[in-house]
Amino acid sequence: MTHHARLNLIMFATIAGLAVFLHFRPQSPDIHKYPLSTSPVEAVQSLRIVRQQQEIALQQLDNHWYLVKPVQARADERKIAEILEVLTVSSNQRLPLADLERFGLDQPNVQLYLNDEYFGFGGFAPTTNQQYVATGDQVYLISPRYVLALPSSASDLINPQLLASNEIPVKFELNHLTVEFQNENWRITMQHSGEALDEDTIGNWIQLWQTVHARELILEQALGSDFVVKGFIKITLQDGQEIKLRILQNEFSIVLLRVKDRFGYQFPIDVGQQLLDPHRIKLNQILPEH
C-alpha cells in the first residue's frame, strides 16, 4: 500500500468514526419552558402595582387604560402594554414556592396584580442575574427587564398628551385672550393686548394644543417651591365639560396643572410660552418639534 493510499484510508476511517459518534451520541434533552401564566393579555381589566406601601391602580374602560389611584388620569397605553408582557413570559427554571427568604420573596421589592393574578418580584440569582418571581404556587427565574417596566411613580404612567383624542376643545379662555370655535372656524372673541392674529396663526396654535406632549408629568405634591402661579386657563370641550389648568412657572419650565386631577404637564419654557400666547407662534413662524 502506497503512502497516499494509507493517508486516504486513515482519513476515511476518521470521518466514518466521527459520523458514527454523532449518530449514536446521547441527545441533550430539550430545555423545558415554564410559562408564568396562561391568562391572555386581552383579558386584563385591572392592574395594581404595590411598591414600599405605595399603590398605583389602573382600570380599563372602553378599551382604554386609566389611572384611578393615587390620581385619576389617562394612562400611557404603550407603557401598560410593556407591563402586560409579563403574562407572555416563559422560564427555564421553576421551583416550589418555599423558603421565600432565600429568593428575596418574603418581602418582595414590587408586587403586581393583573386582575386577581399575583406576581411578586424578589432578588436575583447570583450566576445568571435573572430575577426570582413568585406567582401561583411556584417561583420562576426571568429577565429583570419585566420589573424595570413597573414605574416607581404614578406620573410615569400618565399619558403625556395634553389633550386626549376625545377631549375636543371649542373654547380657550386665558387672561388676555378668548378663542372660540364658531361657524366651523376658530375666532378671537376677546383680546386685551397684542396685535391682531391671522387665521393661520390661530390654527397653528390650536394644533399645538391638540398634539403637544409634555416633557414630563408631575404630581401636584411633587412640585418644587420655585414654581410661581402665573394664572389660569379654562378649556371648554365639545361635550360641555371644562378643564381648568393652573399655570406655574420657574426659570426653566412651565407646568400646566389640571386642577381637578392634581397633576401637571411640564414643558420647556419656549414650548410653554407658545401654549400660553399664540403671538409666540407667529413670532417663531414654525411650530417646534415635539
Side-chain angles (χ1 to χ4, degrees):
M1 182 180 294
T2 65
H3 176 69
H4 289 293
R6 283 197 299 271
L7 288 177
N8 288 337
L9 182 61
I10 293 171
M11 185 178 296
F12 174 79
T14 301
I15 294 173
L18 180 60
V20 171
F21 169 77
L22 292 175
H23 180 75
F24 290 104
R25 69 171 179 169
Q27 297 296 311
S28 300
D30 292 336
I31 297 176
H32 196 82
K33 295 287 188 179
Y34 302 100
L36 272 66
S37 173
T38 58
S39 299
V41 170
E42 298 77 13
V44 180
Q45 298 295 310
S46 65
L47 186 158
R48 286 196 302 129
I49 302 165
V50 181
R51 186 196 299 265
Q52 297 177 349
Q53 309 305 314
Q54 302 284 330
E55 181 177 337
I56 301 171
L58 301 98
Q59 292 280 347
Q60 187 176 179
L61 179 65
D62 296 331
N63 294 319
H64 294 286
W65 281 96
Y66 296 88
L67 281 97
V68 295
K69 184 179 180 181
V71 295
Q72 295 185 354
R74 293 171 290 118
D76 188 325
E77 303 282 345
R78 178 182 57 83
K79 292 184 178 180
I80 298 302
E82 292 177 357
I83 293 172
L84 296 179
E85 284 183 9
V86 72
L87 292 174
T88 67
V89 179
S90 293
S91 173
N92 295 337
Q93 290 185 265
R94 183 176 67 182
L95 304 164
L97 189 62
D99 195 11
L100 297 184
E101 187 174 356
R102 169 190 170 196
F103 305 123
L105 289 167
D106 54 329
Q107 295 182 330
N109 298 318
V110 190
Q111 300 173 74
L112 172 67
Y113 297 84
L114 302 177
N115 292 339
D116 294 324
E117 197 165 0
Y118 168 79
F119 299 84
F121 294 82
F124 296 86
T127 54
T128 64
N129 202 35
Q130 290 181 304
Q131 188 169 25
Y132 292 108
V133 177
T135 184
D137 57 356
Q138 304 286 339
V139 176
Y140 302 83
L141 273 172
I142 65 172
S143 166
R145 78 179 183 90
Y146 298 99
V147 78
L148 294 176
L150 303 178
S152 57
S153 170
S155 60
D156 294 333
L157 284 179
I158 298 174
N159 190 318
Q161 188 169 349
L162 185 53
L163 293 176
S165 58
N166 62 345
E167 292 179 331
I168 302 172
V170 294
K171 185 177 182 180
F172 289 84
E173 296 176 72
L174 292 83
N175 295 337
H176 64 292
L177 185 73
T178 298
V179 180
E180 294 187 63
F181 190 69
Q182 298 178 346
N183 301 322
E184 305 300 318
N185 286 297
W186 285 97
R187 305 181 186 278
I188 297 174
T189 57
M190 186 274 289
Q191 184 174 353
H192 289 313
S193 62
E195 63 180 277
L197 294 167
D198 57 74
E199 290 186 6
D200 287 343
T201 300
I202 291 296
N204 288 338
W205 183 68
I206 297 296
Q207 182 184 13
L208 178 63
W209 270 91
Q210 293 179 310
T211 59
V212 72
H213 286 64
R215 180 178 64 184
E216 185 177 348
L217 282 300
I218 185 167
L219 302 184
E220 183 178 24
Q221 62 266 30
L223 283 166
S225 58
D226 58 329
F227 280 98
V228 177
V229 177
K230 292 291 187 178
F232 292 87
I233 301 171
K234 187 169 75 172
I235 303 173
T236 304
L237 303 179
Q238 191 178 59
D239 60 7
Q241 296 189 60
E242 294 180 347
I243 299 173
K244 191 173 184 181
L245 301 171
R246 183 183 299 135
I247 305 166
L248 300 109
Q249 182 175 337
N250 64 11
E251 184 180 357
F252 305 104
S253 61
I254 289 174
V255 171
L256 300 180
L257 182 78
R258 285 202 179 212
V259 176
K260 179 181 176 182
D261 301 321
R262 301 178 63 187
F263 69 86
Y265 301 86
Q266 188 168 6
F267 299 95
I269 194 76
D270 58 333
V271 177
Q273 288 174 341
Q274 290 183 59
L275 287 166
L276 299 180
D277 187 356
H279 290 89
R280 296 277 182 168
I281 297 285
K282 187 173 183 179
L283 183 64
N284 291 347
Q285 294 184 338
I286 59 171
L287 294 174
E289 294 183 1
H290 305 291

